[in-house]
Amino acid sequence: MIKSLLIANRGEIACRIIKTARRLGVRTVAVYSDADATALHVRMADEAVHIGPSPARESYLLGDRIIAAARATGAEAIHPGYGFLSENADFADAVVAAGLVWVGAPASSIRAMGLKDSAKALMIAAGVPVTPGYMGENQDPDHLRGEADAIGYPVLIKAVAGGGGKGMRKVDASADFLDMLASCQREAASSFGDAHVLIEKYILSPRHIEVQVFGDTHGDVVHLFERDCSLQRRHQKVIEEAPAPGMTPEVREAVCSAAVKAAKAVDYVGAGTIEFIADGTEGLRADRIWFMEMNTRLQVEHPVTEAVTGQDLVEWQLRVASGEPLPRRQDELAIDGWAMEARLYAENPTAGFLPSTGPLDRLRLPDDVRIDIGVYQGGEVTPFYDPMIAKLIVHAPTREAAAARLAAAAGEVEVWPVRTNAAFLARAAADGDFVAGRVDTGFIERGLDALVPTAEPSDAVKTAAASALIKPATGAAWTDLTGFRTNAPTQRQVSVSIAGSVYLAASAPDAGGHVASVAGRDILFLDGEAWPIGPGRVDGSGGGGAASDGAILSPMPGKVISVDVEKGQSVVRGQKLLTLEAMKMEHGMVAPIDGVVAALVAIAGTQVAEGVLLARIEKAD
């Protein structure tokens, strides 16, 4: 077994790897950038080495510095985690050339599966079914549009070097193709340094099914069954589960056998995932499931596979990298119960899911589920990396029980002042169609209005805020109004400020929520949302105050790519106002309310700092 391990990564995956390494008695070495000097993975590791400035291209993406850190600390092996250099074949070669153990797929396998077009050609040769599409070298825009026209709309444009939902665009009509292609290529060039794309037929009721495979250096390959990752937004996974709902033993055998065949075709070693797209219009059928791509690394969603199989996949990685055979034969693996994972992100769903950065003055997560996390209370979410805070993983005997447990866990999240998608996750996990297993990749887009909380507080929030302010436990003497009605219970009301607006709300003895003092402010946490509250003034109107005036602020430093509205224009809630490029992704900033563009400061092509006013929407009279 490897005795010492350097983790060439950060955040929750670095912490996850350290936990297993510590259990196995393996000494760990962390690497960190300026922004991560006090990060959790640095605190957890036995030793840590500074490798550069905050931007990833000047630190975590510099393989030579990481290898030098391994040599300086006496580490025997390097684990790349996921993202960054995990699927960089040149880095894998360099690690081996330096006399170190590479805890990952062979460089030859990474190269074979690294580009989506060549990987599909390889799978066709191996007899694995692939999605219809165009994978040619001709990248002339008019030629690509012609190919898309021939395939038939809708189609999906995909960067051949893409991943993580970046460099992908769905196109519904020929007239939209060239604009979508340009946007996709910009994002692909920025994220991967390669603007080359392929085109796939877009499946109208798609399910994202993936199979966990594992190979060793003795020629054996097994699968650890499938996961369903159909709940996505902008091609990024939101909730993953294992097993896949509606999967039959016959279809499972077909898709898992195809995955093993795919892995063997590239002499695969280590943890990998074969991703398939399924046409779910008639349920899961073996003849309607096609290979999409292979991820030659550990996946973000690997905990759900661990939960239902009882295996530690990081331990498997370390044992296989040490030359040991696979810990289990295929006939020794089985599925037990149901698992789900939700990705808790620092983002604001009510503002178009824009990333939210800043200090974590409050961070409280449920203690009765598995939490994979890479931050801590008092730490910070920076604009330099993926804004994931944690992963919430639940395991239960049935799918219905798992969904209920996940919804409850997301509702218990308390984070401030950074905004999160916790309430969105809770609503998604509790949605009737989701609980019933009626899911595909368009689930979130179709139900977005119901899944995304509004910018204004709900009646439940108002009641909880009023109840909290009336309670003596708050330690403040709020003004409450007692209404007397004949033959009716006394009604208690309080004027309360919620997120800067004033409401007159009635209290209730069973109002939910929890109020905590955070950095001198009272914050109400309810169903995954966070609301600053305080005493309001009674204005005699008998009603509540208005919601936010709709100020659109830049959530982080970025570049304004386009402006889609004009000053004075009427807009509706959810309408795109402008596009901001930040964190190597394009973010559409939308109107939080129906109204009029009262101010428009953003100018296409300009750089903006965090917190800068870009536009302001005011309610129409």
Side-chain angles (χ1 to χ4, degrees):
M1 169 64 73
I2 294 164
K3 299 299 182 184
S4 56
L5 177 70
L6 182 142
I7 299 107
N9 217 296
R10 63 173 303 281
E12 63 86 17
I13 185 57
C15 297
R16 159 74 189 90
I17 295 166
I18 290 171
K19 288 179 181 177
T20 290
R22 179 184 294 161
R23 178 173 61 79
L24 297 175
V26 177
R27 183 175 70 90
T28 57
V29 179
V31 292
Y32 65 93
S33 67
D34 288 348
D36 280 340
T38 60
L40 186 59
H41 73 286
V42 174
R43 294 182 172 196
M44 289 178 62
D46 296 305
E47 190 172 352
V49 179
H50 178 251
I51 55 170
S54 299
R57 65 180 178 275
E58 300 176 36
S59 50
Y60 295 107
L61 291 174
L62 296 180
D64 55 344
R65 292 192 186 178
I66 291 170
I67 292 172
R71 283 174 162 168
T73 57
E76 298 175 48
I78 292 180
H79 193 310
Y82 53 71
F84 293 140
L85 296 171
S86 62
E87 293 181 283
N88 186 307
D90 291 341
F91 179 60
D93 276 337
V95 169
V96 175
L100 302 169
V101 175
W102 169 248
V103 186
S108 58
S109 299
I110 296 174
R111 290 192 176 94
M113 290 297 199
L115 296 178
K116 292 178 173 61
D117 51 355
S118 59
K120 287 193 173 185
L122 183 62
M123 291 301 98
I124 292 172
V128 178
V130 303
T131 314
Y134 173 75
M135 301 175 287
E137 290 297 320
N138 190 336
Q139 295 289 292
D140 177 75
D142 289 331
H143 177 78
L144 291 173
R145 181 166 63 177
E147 292 289 345
D149 292 345
I151 293 168
Y153 294 92
V155 299
L156 192 63
I157 306 173
K158 298 175 69 174
V160 298
K166 298 179 182 178
M168 299 176 69
R169 297 293 187 277
K170 177 184 174 231
V171 187
D172 292 309
S174 182
D176 302 327
F177 184 86
L178 294 180
D179 286 344
M180 289 290 195
L181 174 65
S183 176
C184 181
Q185 289 176 325
R186 277 199 308 268
E187 190 170 275
S190 173
S191 298
F192 315 112
D194 185 351
H196 197 104
V197 301
L198 59 82
I199 304 170
E200 287 181 351
K201 175 65 178 176
Y202 187 86
I203 309 302
L204 291 177
S205 185
R207 294 271 301 277
H208 184 120
I209 309 293
E210 61 186 36
V211 178
Q212 178 71 60
V213 294
F214 230 104
D216 63 19
T217 56
H218 304 277
D220 292 326
V221 177
V222 300
H223 68 79
L224 289 92
F225 309 103
E226 82 283 352
R227 300 184 286 257
D228 191 302
C229 305
S230 298
L231 242 67
Q232 302 180 7
R233 191 190 67 80
R234 294 182 64 182
H235 307 294
Q236 290 186 305
K237 300 167 187 175
V238 176
I239 295 177
E240 304 100 349
E241 59 183 302
M247 180 65 73
T248 65
E250 295 76 20
V251 176
R252 174 173 293 126
E253 174 61 27
V255 71
C256 290
S257 295
V260 170
K261 185 185 297 185
K264 287 183 175 179
V266 292
D267 300 320
Y268 200 75
V269 175
T273 300
I274 311 295
E275 300 198 354
F276 296 89
I277 188 168
D279 182 348
T281 53
E282 300 177 15
L284 293 178
R285 291 172 35 186
D287 63 346
R288 304 295 290 172
I289 299 178
W290 302 281
F291 171 88
M292 276 200 309
E293 61 184 328
M294 181 178 191
N295 288 308
T296 52
R297 54 170 168 79
L298 195 66
Q299 289 278 85
V300 178
E301 57 272 21
H302 76 274
V304 295
T305 294
E306 294 182 323
V308 297
T309 62
Q311 304 301 310
D312 183 330
L313 297 188
V314 174
E315 178 179 346
W316 278 45
Q317 286 186 295
L318 296 177
R319 293 193 180 282
V320 166
S322 299
E324 297 181 20
L326 292 172
R328 294 285 187 276
R329 299 189 308 270
Q330 190 67 66
D331 60 5
E332 296 176 313
L333 295 166
I335 296 173
D336 176 26
W338 216 286
M340 292 183 180
E341 172 185 298
R343 304 186 186 192
L344 180 66
Y345 275 104
E347 61 185 10
N348 188 350
T350 63
F353 292 89
L354 286 170
S356 177
T357 60
L360 292 164
D361 292 337
R362 175 106 178 155
L363 177 60
R364 292 287 189 274
L365 302 179
D367 57 9
D368 60 345
V369 301
R370 173 175 167 178
I371 303 291
D372 283 12
I373 190 167
V375 295
Y376 56 90
Q377 182 167 294
E380 182 181 8
V381 176
T382 78
F384 297 104
Y385 316 113
D386 184 273
M388 183 189 292
I389 292 176
K391 299 185 301 195
L392 312 179
I393 305 108
V394 302
H395 184 216
T398 66
R399 188 173 187 277
E400 292 78 8
R405 194 174 183 194
L406 183 62
E412 293 172 16
V413 169
E414 297 185 5
V415 179
W416 184 265
V418 168
R419 300 291 184 172
T420 78
N421 64 339
F424 167 74
L425 295 173
R427 293 183 179 203
D431 183 271
D433 283 336
F434 175 75
V435 174
R438 294 188 290 269
V439 296
D440 58 38
T441 57
F443 172 88
I444 288 177
E445 184 177 353
R446 290 193 303 271
L448 202 58
D449 287 343
L451 297 176
V452 175
T454 63
E456 296 189 44
S458 65
D459 289 342
V461 169
K462 295 174 186 176
T463 298
S467 302
L469 296 182
I470 287 175
K471 290 176 182 177
T474 61
W478 311 115
T479 301
D480 62 284
L481 307 177
T482 303
F484 174 78
R485 292 177 293 164
T486 305
N487 298 323
T490 299
Q491 183 181 45
R492 305 187 74 191
Q493 290 187 317
V494 62
S495 180
V496 57
S497 170
I498 306 175
S501 297
V502 179
Y503 303 88
L504 189 62
S507 64
D510 57 349
H514 172 241
V515 176
S517 178
V518 184
R521 303 184 70 182
D522 284 331
I523 309 298
L524 169 66
F525 297 100
L526 178 66
D527 296 332
E529 294 185 88
W531 300 91
I533 64 173
R537 59 179 178 83
V538 180
D539 60 8
S541 66
S548 165
D549 63 355
I552 309 299
L553 307 179
S554 174
M556 65 186 67
K559 181 179 180 180
V560 178
I561 298 296
S562 65
V563 178
D564 301 285
V565 295
E566 298 178 352
K567 184 178 179 180
Q569 179 179 333
S570 295
V571 295
V572 297
R573 178 176 177 263
Q575 180 176 340
K576 189 170 77 167
L577 306 175
L578 56 96
T579 301
L580 182 72
E581 183 183 58
M583 299 179 77
K584 293 189 177 181
M585 292 188 69
E586 294 186 3
H587 304 280
M589 305 190 71
V590 302
I593 55 175
D594 296 345
V596 175
V597 181
L600 184 61
V601 183
I603 301 174
T606 59
Q607 293 287 143
V608 294
E610 181 177 356
V612 171
L613 178 69
L614 301 176
R616 185 184 300 278
I617 310 301
E618 292 182 354
K619 285 188 174 180
D621 295 333

